Amino acid sequence: MNVISQIKLPINEEMELFEQKFFDSMTSKVALLNRITYYIVNRKGKQMRPMFVFLTAKMLNNGIVNERTYRGASVIELIHTATLVHDDVVDDSNRRRGFFSINALWKNKIAVLVGDFLLSKGLLLSIDNGDFDLLKIISVAVREMSEGELLQIEKARRLDIVEDIYYEIIRKKTATLIASCCALGAKSVIDDEKQVEKMRKFGELIGMAFQIKDDLFDYTDEAIGKPTGIDIKEQKMTLPLIYAINNCSDKEKSWLINSIKNHHKDKKRVREVIAFVKEKNGLSYAEQKMKEFKEEAILLLQSFPDSEYKASLLLMVNYVIERKI
């Protein structure tokens, strides 16, 4: 049994029911929309977000979830899918998880409209059921994700960003969504703000570790579905690179920034950058930081009584660090 199946074991029934509810929440009277949403549902990924929602809810509520939990998981997935569809348009990307992206099959205008439709469906699902507390959690996440993307674009022009700015970018861009999944799961079953905040923080820490792991993939030689050096080619600032830039001589720093700004399409130069970052301990530093976020997340879970749901969340923490893709 693979790790994902193992993590899913205590929530298998909920995940199956969720898939049906999620599909139902997308329906429309427009045939074209239904064709596209059917395509979206059938190319789903690992579904880590709803898994966080259900595992958190069950851990905090003696293994019991309710309709709010299902709605929370559906809303987060609707809004997340909307942001992915829009991302593919912004990045002019033709592929998503090995499938053609919506914009590749149906063009940009339709993709943007589908993203808007999914976003409104998510908002209405909360409003129609009076889940304003859940809607607030999700709306904050969407705001932060947009800010994170824009902050990255603003700072990427300079390239020599400091570590603190990098953490702020990834906290908003990546970690906030996982944080909101855990907060949502908690809020759907309990009304204890302290516990909800604890689970939000837990999700945030996992999200930080998740993004650093993604950064490290840029420097691996294994085939992982993401070509080595792609972040360098796209002039994205990753933690190993930031560490190398801030821990080398002025001459090396000029070469490094010049390489990324002006030679990022040169394969030989990209390989040289990767070798330089490794030599400057950029990878071991990033790995160390990733482990610190992981340890902090595990520490937060310790106060909860042992259960199969807590065990699955711990497995999830380790999976995020050890995954190969």
Side-chain angles (χ1 to χ4, degrees):
M1 186 189 290
N2 69 18
V3 185
I4 292 288
S5 306
Q6 215 177 328
I7 293 166
K8 263 190 192 173
L9 266 181
I11 51 165
N12 265 337
E13 282 176 36
E14 285 80 5
M15 289 299 289
E16 276 181 32
L17 188 53
F18 159 74
E19 278 188 37
Q20 188 51 53
K21 286 177 184 281
F22 178 53
F23 185 59
D24 292 345
S25 69
M26 280 189 176
T27 52
S28 148
K29 290 189 174 71
V30 180
L32 173 62
L33 255 174
N34 286 336
R35 221 168 38 245
I36 296 172
T37 52
Y38 181 77
Y39 177 75
I40 288 171
V41 170
N42 282 322
R43 52 161 217 182
K44 62 180 182 293
K46 297 184 204 72
Q47 293 188 299
M48 282 172 75
R49 279 155 299 277
M51 282 159 67
F52 275 119
V53 175
F54 290 115
L55 286 171
T56 301
K58 289 188 92 168
M59 180 181 76
L60 293 179
N61 199 35
N62 302 317
I64 299 162
V65 296
N66 56 33
E67 280 305 313
R68 264 163 61 82
T69 317
Y70 284 103
R71 285 197 298 270
S74 292
V75 171
I76 209 116
E77 205 64 341
L78 280 165
I79 290 177
H80 174 62
T81 307
T83 61
L84 292 183
V85 171
H86 283 163
D87 273 355
D88 287 340
V89 174
V90 172
D91 297 340
D92 202 12
S93 175
N94 290 326
R95 293 259 162 187
R96 165 77 59 185
R97 295 183 189 132
F99 293 91
F100 281 114
S101 58
I102 304 300
N103 47 303
L105 292 173
W106 285 282
K107 300 290 175 275
N108 282 352
K109 184 174 182 178
I110 289 176
V112 170
L113 292 168
V114 168
D116 291 346
F117 169 78
L118 294 171
L119 191 63
S120 68
K121 275 288 203 181
L123 300 175
L124 285 167
L125 184 58
S126 293
I127 291 164
D128 290 345
N129 292 284
D131 299 327
F132 297 107
D133 51 346
L134 305 186
L135 185 58
K136 183 170 184 187
I137 292 170
I138 292 157
S139 302
V140 168
V142 174
R143 184 198 70 204
E144 294 216 312
M145 283 157 69
S146 313
E147 285 178 348
E149 287 284 358
L150 288 162
L151 185 62
Q152 185 174 40
I153 291 165
E154 180 192 331
K155 299 293 178 186
R157 293 197 183 102
R158 293 205 30 233
L159 290 183
D160 56 343
I161 65 169
V162 291
E163 224 174 292
D164 286 352
I165 299 274
Y166 165 83
Y167 290 133
E168 191 187 348
I169 290 169
I170 68 165
R171 187 186 63 74
K172 289 187 162 180
K173 217 183 89 160
T174 306
T176 192
L177 190 66
I178 299 175
S180 63
C181 292
C182 297
L184 259 181
K187 191 74 178 165
S188 72
V189 292
I190 61 167
D191 204 21
D192 178 340
E193 284 307 322
K194 248 189 179 150
Q195 300 284 55
V196 173
E197 173 53 27
K198 190 182 266 191
M199 289 314 295
R200 189 204 65 76
K201 186 69 185 164
F202 167 77
E204 187 180 278
L205 291 163
I206 290 183
M208 301 292 277
F210 185 92
Q211 185 55 56
I212 296 173
K213 177 69 174 178
D214 242 29
D215 286 1
L216 287 163
F217 279 147
D218 207 41
Y219 297 86
T220 56
D221 302 320
E222 297 160 40
I224 51 150
K226 168 183 161 179
T228 304
I230 194 79
D231 289 335
I232 295 167
K233 290 187 185 84
E234 291 176 0
Q235 297 176 285
K236 273 187 195 150
M237 292 310 286
T238 57
L239 189 55
L241 192 54
I242 289 164
Y243 182 79
I245 281 177
N246 292 320
N247 289 276
C248 63
S249 67
D250 288 346
K251 190 182 171 190
E252 288 170 327
K253 188 174 179 174
S254 307
W255 172 82
L256 204 49
I257 290 177
N258 178 36
S259 301
I260 296 157
K261 266 196 169 160
N262 305 313
H263 304 281
H264 54 274
K265 290 197 166 47
D266 175 346
K267 281 184 183 162
K268 182 173 175 283
R269 193 72 168 255
V270 168
R271 278 200 301 272
E272 285 169 6
V273 169
I274 290 171
F276 181 81
V277 170
K278 284 180 179 173
E279 188 193 313
K280 290 291 174 187
N281 298 321
L283 300 199
S284 47
Y285 179 78
E287 270 167 20
Q288 180 54 38
K289 282 289 170 194
M290 177 178 75
K291 286 188 179 123
E292 282 171 24
F293 284 120
K294 170 198 152 176
E295 294 307 326
E296 221 183 309
I298 288 172
L299 210 59
L300 277 180
L301 277 191
Q302 277 179 359
S303 58
F304 295 103
D306 287 343
S307 66
E308 54 184 329
Y309 317 112
K310 177 179 167 180
S312 272
L313 281 170
L314 287 168
L315 262 180
M316 189 79 113
V317 177
N318 287 312
Y319 168 74
V320 159
I321 303 289
E322 285 153 21
R323 68 199 163 99
K324 298 278 186 281
I325 187 165

